[in-house]
Amino acid sequence: MAEADARTGTPNGLRGVLAPLALAQFICSFAGSNMNVMINDISTDLDTTVQGVQITITIFLLVMAALMIPGGKLTDRYGRKRCFLAGLTVYGVGALLSAAAPGLGVLILGNSILEGVGTALLIPPVYILTTLLFTDMASRARAFGTIMALGGVGAAAGPLIGGLITSAVGWRAAFVFQALVIAVIILLSRRIEDPLPPDPARPFDTGGAVLSAVGLILLVMGILAADDNVWLMAGLLVLGALVLLWFFRWVRAKERAGEEPLLSTSLFRNRTSNLGLVTQNIQWLLLMGTSFTVAAYLQVVRGYDAIRTGVVFTAATLGLLATSLAAERLAQRFTQRALIMTGFVVTIAGVALLLALVSGSPDAWAFAPGLLLIGLGLGVMLTPSVNVVQSSFPEERQGEISGLSRSVSNLGSSLGTAVAGTILVAGLTTRAYGAAMLTLAVLGLAGLAAAALLPRGRTPDTAAARSRVRRAGRAARVPGPPLTSTGSAAPTGRCGRGPR
């Protein structure tokens, strides 16, 4: 009965299955932003600089982005629940190591590397399991809405929660808090049942995984080098672009040879999905870029402590929570395009307010109106952007597009911290703060332009059509072939493996 509840989206199913999945997304998003309010504390305790903390945060976000697609592929081979639990374990070890870090190097190992790898392993199963377990589109939409809402709230509330913990106990306690939440998720995960068996014979494109990861790392490291050495920045950016070009040629070669690549190029032939991915990337870029820039400015330039900085971010958290909770009702009344465009307009207005009000007022609460608008805007458009991308593909490709979607979002997070943070760290003045926020506003306009190009009507829901066919078949008691890990019918034959 519990499984039936989960599949139909009843409250019991939501409590038993959705809780650990949504909580996992929350803690990973929280980890990406809570360090923003610990800049002064970590810098002093570990004898490092603001740039050192920025690099730690950026590498964490970058490791997530670089390994998210390979992490999604491993779920087919080793099973979704097994990868989920393995990721939680690695993440927990990284959190405890970070809490005991004697220097910046160990903090980077624990927070940036181990927590980043753990996140890349556990996040793809969150979205694949949600797709598989919640088969009717109404419950699936609610499930994705809940997961995205907790992810956004985790990122927005990270500074507040991190500030409270840092002020009351110390910055190391924030990592202990993460480890405790991970332990709770592992306990709750006992209720999750993987609906499909793993396929140990499934091939894994190791070469593609290495090339894609190296290319992304070089690009972001190039941005981080902008304030130190312009020639080094240019060299890293060019080298990163060449490695990514090599990656796409590698993928095309494997496809022509009839082999399974890390990422199918056919995913990029859908114009609607491509535009949706652009909006996702820029949304998380705005969220994490604003979070780091405002937090660093408050602490380093204005001298605020962690708790005072965290309290300022309450406005963004409340705004994001309010519109995220209303996502389902808004989706029933407005098209995805209208919601995404509205979200960008409101977010850009929030950035403009941060520039206008803060420059003329020494009061910390001058940040509140702008942060509130940014939270409201992001909450309006986070879920619709995911829906646009996911609904552009049939059900048998949901696992693959989920991995790409999460990778693009996390790449946006790392770029936000790298781009805006690098501009701010180069000067650490009010003028540098203004330049960083202005850059984010311009990128927001690029996101708005991409949203304006989305189809005006409601996005076709091919996955819904397939779900209706499957439910009709179950109702008629017609036996069917086994399913692949992404929910498609697998052809009978050798190993029962699905399409490559």
Side-chain angles (χ1 to χ4, degrees):
M1 179 61 69
E3 182 179 0
D5 287 341
R7 290 182 176 275
T8 56
T10 61
N12 286 338
L14 288 176
R15 284 194 297 267
V17 175
L18 187 57
L21 301 179
L23 195 56
Q25 177 64 78
F26 167 84
I27 198 63
C28 291
S29 298
F30 168 85
S33 66
N34 84 111
M35 281 181 64
N36 292 338
V37 296
M38 307 174 191
I39 294 172
N40 281 342
D41 298 83
I42 294 177
S43 299
T44 302
D45 194 13
L46 300 185
D47 192 24
T48 184
T49 63
V50 175
Q51 188 178 27
V53 180
Q54 179 207 6
I55 290 173
T56 303
I57 297 171
T58 303
I59 293 177
F60 165 71
L61 297 169
L62 180 57
V63 168
M64 282 198 297
L67 300 182
M68 196 66 71
I69 294 174
K73 286 288 187 178
L74 289 175
T75 62
D76 290 324
R77 188 165 186 165
Y78 299 107
R80 287 131 299 276
K81 183 176 180 179
R82 186 179 299 173
C83 286
F84 183 63
L85 293 175
L88 290 169
T89 302
V90 174
Y91 187 108
V93 171
L96 292 176
L97 185 61
S98 300
L104 184 64
V106 177
L107 182 64
I108 290 177
L109 174 61
N111 175 254
S112 306
I113 306 301
L114 291 181
E115 287 192 25
V117 170
T119 302
L121 283 173
L122 71 91
I123 287 297
V126 168
Y127 289 83
I128 297 172
L129 286 169
T130 301
T131 302
L132 292 174
L133 294 172
F134 295 85
T135 55
D136 69 282
M137 291 311 297
S139 64
R140 184 182 295 172
R142 285 193 296 270
F144 276 126
T146 301
I147 291 171
M148 291 307 299
L150 276 181
V153 170
L160 175 60
I161 299 173
L164 289 171
I165 296 174
T166 301
S167 297
V169 185
W171 67 268
R172 297 178 187 275
F175 289 102
V176 176
F177 167 76
Q178 292 180 46
L180 291 174
V181 173
I182 290 296
V184 171
I185 297 173
I186 291 175
L187 291 175
L188 293 176
S189 299
R190 294 179 301 174
R191 303 176 183 178
I192 298 176
E193 293 184 9
D194 197 336
L196 301 171
D199 182 4
R202 189 77 179 253
F204 181 76
D205 183 9
T206 304
V210 171
L211 287 174
S212 64
V214 170
L216 292 175
I217 289 171
L218 288 172
L219 283 178
V220 176
M221 295 307 291
I223 296 173
L224 290 173
D227 62 325
D228 291 328
N229 189 317
V230 175
W231 289 109
L232 177 61
M233 175 195 73
L236 289 172
L237 291 177
V238 170
L239 187 58
L242 290 175
V243 172
L244 288 178
L245 178 61
W246 184 7
F247 165 67
F248 281 107
R249 291 177 64 88
W250 172 281
V251 167
R252 292 295 298 273
K254 291 186 77 69
E255 287 181 329
R256 285 193 293 267
E259 302 175 5
E260 182 179 3
L262 179 72
L263 182 68
S264 174
T265 57
S266 63
L267 291 175
F268 298 100
R269 295 171 189 161
N270 187 302
R271 180 174 179 271
T272 300
S273 172
N274 289 342
L275 291 170
L277 289 172
V278 171
T279 63
Q280 279 185 232
N281 180 274
I282 296 178
Q283 287 162 14
W284 284 96
L285 186 153
L286 291 172
L287 176 56
M288 299 306 296
T290 301
S291 178
F292 180 85
T293 302
V294 174
Y297 174 75
L298 287 174
Q299 292 170 90
V300 179
V301 178
R302 293 204 172 181
Y304 291 5
D305 59 15
I307 182 61
R308 196 176 179 191
T309 303
V311 169
V312 170
F313 277 91
T314 305
T317 305
L318 293 176
L320 198 148
L321 183 60
T323 46
S324 294
L325 292 177
E328 184 179 356
R329 293 193 299 273
L330 291 172
Q332 294 171 354
R333 298 185 59 185
F334 304 100
T335 64
Q336 311 280 30
R337 176 180 179 270
L339 291 174
I340 297 171
M341 289 187 66
T342 300
F344 273 114
V345 169
V346 175
T347 301
I348 294 168
V351 174
L353 265 182
L354 283 177
L355 280 168
L357 296 181
V358 173
S359 60
S361 173
D363 189 353
W365 292 109
F367 290 85
L371 289 172
L372 176 63
L373 284 181
I374 290 173
L376 289 170
L378 289 169
V380 165
M381 61 180 170
L382 283 175
T383 299
S385 283
V386 172
N387 288 339
V388 164
V389 174
Q390 299 290 146
S391 61
S392 296
F393 293 90
E395 190 161 299
E396 61 264 23
R397 307 204 70 180
Q398 288 298 301
E400 192 173 14
I401 191 60
S402 291
L404 176 61
S405 174
R406 293 302 87 215
S407 181
V408 166
S409 295
N410 283 295
L411 180 60
S413 297
S414 60
L415 287 174
T417 305
V419 173
T422 297
I423 295 172
L424 178 68
V425 170
L428 284 176
T429 62
T430 301
R431 181 173 296 180
Y433 163 81
M437 297 305 296
L438 185 61
T439 301
L440 292 174
V442 172
L443 291 170
L445 289 173
L448 177 61
L453 295 174
L454 289 169
R456 291 182 176 275
R458 294 193 177 274
T459 306
D461 203 337
T462 53
R466 291 179 177 270
S467 291
R468 286 194 293 271
V469 171
R470 291 173 63 194
R471 290 199 301 274
R474 288 197 297 268
R477 291 185 171 84
V478 178
L483 298 178
T484 68
S485 65
T486 52
S488 61
T492 55
R494 179 175 171 266
C495 299
R497 294 197 328 232
R500 293 286 182 263

